[in-house]
Amino acid sequence: MKRLLLAGLFSLGLFGMAQAAIDTYQFKDEAERERFRTLTAELRCPKCQNQNIADSNAPIATDLRREIFRMLEEGKSNAEIVDFLVLRYGDFVLYKPPVDTRTYLLWYGPFALLGLGALGLGVLVLRRRKVENNPAQVALSASENQRLNALLKQNSQDPK
């Protein structure tokens, strides 16, 4: 039984190694190889989302690496290759999407939220400072006055 279990584990190990095949491409020169590395590192895998095409093991990333290699062999420029992929998969494949009306919230939203948070914090600090400096000037609303009077009256009537 042990031998059968070991044989099964060994077979699974071999199957896993066969699945981890490495892409091999023959480039014309080192410059083209560097262009390929740069392009695959700058583009996001549509399936993995947090990995670039170079690091992803997803089948679509393999296809995109093959497609990029094919376009490099055809002599297309980096911009043409990126435009092709953006046309096919949208701005999602770019780690740095362009700044336009569709992406203003993405680019400037965090700064706007930070500014609103700083503004809210400033208002709170100023109000608190005003109350601490002049506690006698704090005016209660009519309902707060009624509630305060009721509590004081109730407290004075309670036997201790």
Side-chain angles (χ1 to χ4, degrees):
M1 184 69 179
K2 270 184 168 179
R3 289 183 181 179
L4 185 61
L5 185 61
L6 285 175
L9 288 175
F10 185 71
S11 300
L12 285 175
L14 286 177
F15 178 74
M17 289 174 59
Q19 293 295 319
I22 298 172
D23 298 336
T24 55
Y25 301 107
Q26 297 293 325
F27 296 97
K28 290 183 221 169
D29 55 9
E30 192 60 35
E32 189 173 287
R33 180 186 310 273
E34 189 58 34
R35 282 182 58 205
F36 179 81
R37 283 185 190 153
T38 302
L39 283 169
T40 56
E42 289 178 352
L43 296 169
R44 180 184 314 198
C45 174
K47 183 175 182 181
C48 302
Q49 300 183 1
N50 290 328
Q51 284 184 318
N52 57 29
I53 293 173
D55 294 338
S56 175
N57 291 328
I60 193 168
T62 305
D63 292 343
L64 290 177
R65 285 191 297 265
R66 191 177 313 119
E67 190 71 19
I68 289 170
F69 178 73
R70 183 190 61 78
M71 287 190 273
L72 283 175
E73 281 189 326
E74 290 176 357
K76 292 190 176 184
S77 69
N78 289 1
E80 289 173 326
I81 294 170
V82 170
D83 288 345
F84 172 78
L85 292 174
V86 167
L87 186 66
R88 197 169 183 181
Y89 298 103
D91 289 335
F92 180 77
V93 296
L94 301 173
Y95 278 113
K96 293 179 184 177
V99 179
D100 59 16
T101 55
R102 295 175 298 136
T103 59
Y104 282 153
L105 187 61
L106 175 69
W107 283 101
Y108 303 115
F111 299 112
L113 286 176
L114 184 66
L116 288 173
L119 182 68
L121 184 65
V123 167
L124 284 175
V125 167
L126 288 176
R127 279 187 180 175
R128 183 162 296 231
R129 201 177 278 172
K130 183 179 176 183
V131 169
E132 287 175 359
N133 289 341
N134 296 319
Q137 290 183 352
V138 176
L140 299 176
S141 66
S143 64
E144 290 172 334
N145 265 334
Q146 285 178 348
R147 186 161 185 253
L148 178 62
N149 287 335
L151 287 172
L152 289 173
K153 188 176 180 182
Q154 180 183 7
N155 193 23
S156 65
Q157 292 176 353
D158 284 342
K160 293 185 181 181

